Amino acid sequence: MSPSRARLCLATGAVALVALGVALWALVAQPMMAAKIIRQAAAAESTIPFRATARTQSIYGQGFLESEAQISRGTHGRGRITYRGGAMDGVQMGSDGTRAWRYDPRTQALFTGPPDILAQSPLGQSHLDLMLRNHLFRLEGRETVAGRPVYRILMTPRDQQGRSIRYWVDRDTRVVLRREELDTRGRKIAETRFERIDYHSPTTSELQPPQCKPSTKTQDDTEQLGRKMKPEELAEQVGFPVLTPTYLPKGYELDGSYLFHCPNCHDTAAETRYTNGMDSFSVFQGSSSLTQHGVGSVHGLAKVGNRQVLVWAHRDSHYALLGDLPLDTLRRIAASLPGGDKATSRGE
């Protein structure tokens, strides 16, 4: 082989090796790096304190509900969010790490409960391993949010059912500075974007709930309400067998069973909740008042424009099935419960 031909072969081989390296990075190293960043971001939620101002959007009808949020976050699950402007104006919510609370100035009611009722981590930290197992991650690039350099990462469900989430993660602190939810068609349904952030610990007063006036009603849970139980334990609380679906979508596991208080019908029902680490669905089972008067309350648990609700009755029990999943998947879940083949969705 002539020297020139040998050099050509070496150059061709080098190009092929580079192309192979790029392909391996895209297929293996890059998704692993993206998943590692998300895991670090989940850890940062309980370790990195800050004060921030953010803009929020949630789809409603043909448009979006918008609001400004003042966010103060301490360590160990402590934090407070105060909404300014829009439909959420004046609403506050937070947690001291052991109890969560929500204050609505329109009703002057302070509601408290276990953290997993009100304080949902944007990364599903309580189910992090399950979330990582059921989703794919892609590092899309590097950008700037709130004056900070960030990684942009897309998380999609492996089975293509449920939401996709795009995260913008601070490259230095691993705090999520922007989060965008997409439906199964790739359309944005919700977004939170930080405009300013200050990495200093908030004061104690910035993390506390508002001081209620004497006339303000306080709705505090009983020891049982909101506590995670096994279905058989919950059955002892509600006085009837708590039924569970025989069909679960791939990747979903039982999260727990809970007492659910219906504020419209002043009744208590059984809620059995399932999750894949990010998306979830719940089966509510109770008296007739659950569906006659309380379905609106169940709807109120849903993020507007995102979740579907099915309702039906069977013998002495009434059911509501609410979830992030496509309607045909929810119907299959309902059909695995007594009488669920007759379930109807909202508006039917």
Side-chain angles (χ1 to χ4, degrees), residues 46-90:
S46 60
T47 58
I48 306 296
F50 61 78
R51 303 184 187 95
T53 301
R55 301 294 302 181
T56 65
Q57 288 184 328
S58 295
I59 193 169
Y60 184 80
Q62 300 300 314
F64 284 87
L65 295 176
E66 299 188 10
S67 185
E68 179 182 286
Q70 301 293 327
I71 305 172
S72 298
R73 193 173 78 188
T75 56
H76 308 296
R78 298 177 301 126
R80 185 176 78 179
I81 302 175
T82 302
Y83 290 93
R84 304 295 186 195
M88 295 284 286
D89 186 37

Side-chain angles (χ1 to χ4, degrees), residues 138-154:
R138 185 169 77 245
L139 181 60
E140 295 185 316
R142 293 168 171 82
E143 297 180 7
T144 301
V145 176
R148 304 281 303 181
V150 297
Y151 294 110
R152 190 181 75 204
I153 296 173
L154 178 65

Side-chain angles (χ1 to χ4, degrees), residues 248-326:
L248 295 179
K250 186 177 179 180
Y252 277 77
E253 297 179 0
L254 175 66
D255 176 31
S257 297
Y258 306 83
L259 280 176
F260 171 75
H261 176 69
C262 168
N264 286 353
C265 55
H266 304 291
D267 201 359
T268 300
E271 177 192 1
T272 306
R273 191 182 308 162
Y274 300 83
T275 182
N276 68 351
M278 174 56 65
D279 293 317
S280 64
F281 71 88
S282 291
V283 179
F284 298 87
Q285 180 184 352
S287 67
S288 61
S289 57
L290 174 67
T291 50
Q292 291 177 354
H293 306 291
V295 174
S297 301
V298 175
H299 288 171
L301 297 177
K303 292 184 178 178
V304 176
N306 188 21
R307 292 186 168 185
Q308 302 275 3
V309 179
L310 296 176
V311 295
W312 72 96
H314 181 73
R315 297 180 180 174
D316 295 330
S317 293
H318 289 243
Y319 298 85
L321 173 60
L322 175 146
D324 301 305
L325 292 162

